[in-house]
Amino acid sequence: MREFLPPGWDVQGNHGLALVIAGPSGAGKSSVIAELLRRDPTLSFSVSVTTRPRRPDEVDGKDYTFITDEEFDRRIRAGELLEWTTYGGHRYGTPRDELVPRLGRGEEVVVNVEVRGALALRRARLPGRVVLVFLVPPTREELVRRIRARGTESEEDLARRLRIAEEECRAIPEFDYLVVNDELAAAVGRVEAILTAERLRIRRCSP
Ligand code: ADP
Ligand code: 5GP
């Protein structure tokens, strides 16, 4: 097949792709991403930095890099973060080193950020295509049930996250794709379909 195409074209795709997954806390971003990475080992994850305390099941350097407020300030001053925000009283940021070199090499990187961070990444002039996916739970009741079932937030934090969720949904029109996370396997299948379509884009295969 490749011999058919003029020199420089590549049906495997040769441009970087940032697959950004945003949406309300508890929608299932981490769960969907973990399954996506398990199914396709060619994908990598952009590990954010945060000042939030580590949850018992999280691994430092894999889920997040957990840092102090002072270190967060230092990274901002040094220009090491592509975007950052405060969410629920803690700070989160995307390190430049997690995205720019990999996209520059034509790799596909999955990113977990809140809504404003997703929109900031679209504006960040990254060396590759940025695709924004908004993940939603099937109902508000199910969202509450999932956050409670995760058992990592207080009732006060839960209320705060639900308020943020309502605010975040206003930005849906600015996203490229909307995915409902009802059954986990079905939701992961939908995100894989997006990835497949993005890999087939003419611009991604062109010289
Ligand atoms: P987020 O990263 O968006 O905050 P998580 O991936 O931590 O969300 O999911 C929140 C909770 O909901 C977790 O306890 C997770 O196991 C559960 N969960 C995720 N997806 C589903 C699903 N499709 N069905 C039922 N529970 C789910
Ligand atoms: P959590 O505390 O549940 O892990 O994450 C809270 C929110 O912060 C989620 O919406 C998550 O997507 C977002 N988040 C995680 N990392 C980053 C980041 O680097 N930048 C931004 N803007 N948001 C992030």
Side-chain angles (χ1 to χ4, degrees):
M1 174 62 188
R2 205 173 306 177
E3 289 76 23
F4 173 79
L5 293 166
W9 286 76
D10 187 349
V11 286
Q12 301 297 317
N14 50 14
H15 294 279
L17 180 72
L19 186 69
V20 181
I21 315 276
S25 174
K29 299 181 293 297
S30 307
S31 309
V32 166
I33 290 171
E35 178 59 14
L36 198 63
L37 295 174
R38 200 187 63 74
R39 289 191 193 181
D40 186 346
T42 70
L43 301 171
S44 71
F45 181 58
S46 167
V47 181
S48 294
V49 290
T50 184
T51 61
R52 162 167 84 56
R54 189 176 62 80
R55 293 177 185 151
D57 63 333
E58 288 177 329
V59 177
D60 192 12
K62 179 171 172 277
D63 299 292
Y64 283 107
T65 299
F66 296 93
I67 61 175
T68 60
D69 258 312
E70 294 70 36
E71 173 62 9
F72 203 100
D73 286 334
R74 190 200 64 74
R75 292 197 187 208
I76 293 174
R77 278 198 307 273
E80 293 177 17
L81 302 182
L82 282 171
E83 60 78 35
W84 62 91
T85 194
T86 300
Y87 179 101
H90 301 291
R91 292 198 284 173
Y92 299 81
T94 307
R96 186 177 297 277
D97 279 354
E98 289 291 306
L99 272 184
V100 175
R102 288 185 227 167
L103 295 179
R105 289 194 295 269
E107 295 177 20
E108 296 168 333
V109 188
V110 186
V111 189
N112 179 346
V113 288
E114 48 67 66
V115 165
R116 280 169 304 168
L119 300 176
L121 288 176
R122 164 159 285 166
R123 293 190 299 267
R125 296 169 175 271
L126 292 170
R129 187 170 158 77
V130 178
V131 174
L132 305 186
V133 178
F134 199 99
L135 190 74
V136 288
T139 62
R140 185 184 154 92
E141 290 69 35
E142 175 63 8
L143 182 68
V144 172
R145 198 197 63 75
R146 286 183 190 172
I147 300 178
R148 288 215 172 104
R150 188 169 63 193
T152 50
E153 273 82 26
S154 64
E155 283 298 308
E156 192 188 343
D157 281 336
L158 168 68
R160 189 151 51 172
R161 283 172 182 247
L162 289 176
R163 277 199 302 276
I164 298 173
E166 280 175 27
E167 190 62 37
E168 289 191 313
C169 285
R170 297 205 191 133
I172 291 176
E174 295 181 65
F175 279 64
D176 301 307
Y177 296 96
L178 183 62
V179 171
V180 179
N181 177 22
D182 38 18
E183 290 295 322
L184 185 66
V188 173
R190 292 173 190 127
V191 178
E192 285 178 324
I194 293 167
L195 202 50
T196 301
E198 291 294 334
R199 283 173 178 160
L200 299 176
R201 275 183 183 275
I202 293 292
R203 275 188 53 201
R204 199 169 141 72
C205 307
S206 61

